[in-house]
Amino acid sequence: MIELKKACIEVFPIMIPEPSSLKSVNFYLVKQDQSLSLIDAGWNNEACWNGLMDVLKRNGFTIKDITEILLTHHHIDHVGLVNRITSVNPIPVYCHHDSIARLKRDKNFLEMRVDFYSNLYKEMGCGDKGEHQASYLRKAIEQNKQNAIQADLIPIEDEQVSNFQIVEVPGHSPDQIAFYHEKQNWLFSGDLLIGHISSNALVEPDSYGARLPTLSQQIASLKKCLSLHADLVFSGHGILIEKPDSLIVKRLERIEKKAERVIQFIQSGCLTGSAIAEGYYKTTYYEQFSLVMSEIIGQLDYLELQEKIEKELVNGVWHYSVK
């Protein structure tokens, strides 16, 4: 049994079973001195709400005792209860400054983001599949506007908040941060590290519409996490991870093995992003198009930065070759 109560801090995990490969959605109440922080906020559903209420009640708290919400990143399974909580308890909500346009569902930003994907999928040779995904994202701007966070969002600009050191760990998301409690050597990692599956590095634009090198960021973030030699990682999904260093090394090795496979596909004649993705993932390319393309584009950008491959624009589509 992992001991989650120390002299200066106590953690109350809220771990809601999830039918997908994620296994669970996790968020955490953290008691320190006079504060009761909530790190992330699950899905906006009754299972997560009831899970939060149950953990509060079992430990002698009410929702009014929560003093702040700290968000690791903007993904909907990490922020779902923010509006519901702050409607009854108007507490500060802290996040990375790059989260704000996404969480507020800023229309100009979201439209720029759709244009980014539309152009990206064309350049990767995705054809109708890419156009369909861009159309889906464009419709989602209107359909999901009710998910905008209503509370005031406070950008985390200091190196420390509520006794946590802020560690920027982009890759899975441009705005992802981890909260590190140095005295206990505990890390609340969001989706940087998950025990049973690899966390996806999701291709995204920056605030100006330029493509971020997400896989390279993910590698740097994992190495940053490794340098901490944390005793315990509180993950956004699955189990708590004790002594995570060997798992981080395994994740880094897997990225390199995938890079070697991508090179092999290029050498075999798969020259465009879509051709590599379909060859590598087969039917999964169609079933999980955006995730698969993120994986392959991240790998291509990573290999290009390493100067292992190069590309040439042919009729508006990038063609890759091995150097």
Side-chain angles (χ1 to χ4, degrees):
M1 186 71 178
I2 302 171
E3 177 58 60
L4 300 181
K5 183 176 182 178
K6 304 290 184 179
C8 60
I9 185 172
E10 185 171 7
V11 180
F12 307 93
I14 303 148
M15 308 174 87
I16 308 302
E18 174 79 10
S20 73
S21 62
L22 296 173
K23 292 191 175 180
S24 69
V25 171
N26 305 339
F27 44 119
Y28 302 95
L29 284 164
V30 182
K31 183 75 178 78
Q32 300 182 81
D33 300 324
Q34 301 304 310
S35 69
L36 182 65
S37 307
L38 181 66
I39 298 181
D40 286 341
W43 288 106
N44 182 20
N45 62 24
E46 290 308 304
C48 286
W49 178 258
N50 291 337
L52 173 61
M53 292 300 105
D54 181 57
V55 169
L56 285 167
K57 185 177 180 180
R58 279 193 285 112
N59 292 284
F61 304 121
T62 72
I63 196 166
K64 293 284 190 179
D65 292 315
I66 302 174
T67 54
E68 64 194 352
I69 299 173
L70 310 176
L71 299 177
T72 60
H73 61 298
H74 73 279
H75 290 168
I76 190 66
D77 56 329
H78 291 258
V79 306
L81 294 178
V82 170
N83 284 341
R84 195 164 177 180
I85 293 166
T86 56
S87 68
V88 295
N89 184 12
I91 51 178
V93 180
Y94 294 92
C95 63
H96 191 282
H97 60 83
D98 286 343
S99 300
I100 293 174
R102 292 169 165 88
L103 291 173
K104 288 295 186 180
R105 299 202 60 80
D106 178 87
K107 192 172 182 182
N108 289 335
F109 172 81
L110 294 179
E111 287 176 348
M112 176 275 286
R113 186 171 175 269
V114 174
D115 290 341
F116 163 83
Y117 286 116
S118 178
N119 293 329
L120 177 63
Y121 294 144
K122 286 174 186 173
E123 292 177 351
M124 290 294 155
C126 298
D128 291 345
K129 192 69 180 167
E131 289 179 16
H132 177 78
Q133 179 67 14
S135 176
Y136 165 78
L137 291 172
R138 206 172 297 281
K139 290 174 184 172
I141 294 175
E142 187 65 25
Q143 291 171 348
N144 295 331
K145 64 182 181 181
Q146 75 279 358
N147 293 330
I149 299 300
Q150 302 303 317
D152 289 337
L153 298 171
I154 303 169
I156 292 174
E157 295 174 345
D158 296 328
E159 292 181 2
Q160 195 165 49
V161 172
S162 299
N163 298 320
F164 291 111
Q165 287 185 23
I166 307 305
V167 185
E168 295 208 20
V169 286
H172 174 69
S173 176
D175 58 325
Q176 185 167 245
I177 52 179
F179 299 97
Y180 179 55
H181 195 279
E182 185 175 17
K183 187 171 182 181
Q184 297 305 330
N185 202 22
W186 288 352
L187 186 71
F188 296 80
S189 71
D191 286 351
L192 173 64
L193 194 65
I194 301 172
H196 62 284
I197 55 172
S198 296
S199 177
N200 294 31
L202 301 176
V203 65
E204 281 273 357
D206 65 15
S207 300
Y208 304 99
R211 183 157 93 241
L212 292 163
T214 49
L215 185 60
S216 296
Q217 289 180 325
Q218 179 91 330
I219 291 166
S221 294
L222 286 167
K223 288 179 177 178
K224 192 183 288 187
C225 183
L226 183 61
S227 72
L228 294 173
H229 303 294
D231 289 327
L232 185 61
V233 168
F234 295 82
S235 177
H237 305 281
I239 62 169
L240 307 186
I241 305 166
E242 296 183 83
K243 303 292 184 184
D245 289 10
S246 61
L247 178 62
I248 297 170
V249 170
K250 180 181 173 183
R251 294 285 182 259
L252 290 167
E253 288 173 347
R254 187 166 184 265
I255 289 169
E256 295 302 326
K257 286 180 181 177
K258 281 193 169 186
E260 291 169 14
R261 286 278 286 149
V262 168
I263 287 175
Q264 290 169 5
F265 273 102
I266 296 171
Q267 290 172 328
S268 73
C270 297
L271 305 183
T272 66
S274 61
I276 297 163
E278 191 171 0
Y280 197 126
Y281 286 98
K282 299 182 171 55
T283 57
T284 307
Y285 169 74
Y286 299 96
E287 295 162 358
Q288 299 182 44
F289 173 78
S290 62
L291 292 177
V292 164
M293 286 309 301
S294 278
E295 183 76 25
I296 294 302
I297 292 166
Q299 282 285 356
L300 291 170
D301 288 347
Y302 174 57
L303 288 167
E304 196 177 356
L305 280 171
Q306 289 189 307
E307 298 185 345
K308 292 184 177 180
I309 64 172
E310 57 189 357
K311 66 187 179 191
E312 179 186 7
L313 198 62
V314 180
N315 297 324
V317 176
W318 290 114
H319 283 57
Y320 290 86
S321 58
V322 178
K323 284 192 171 184

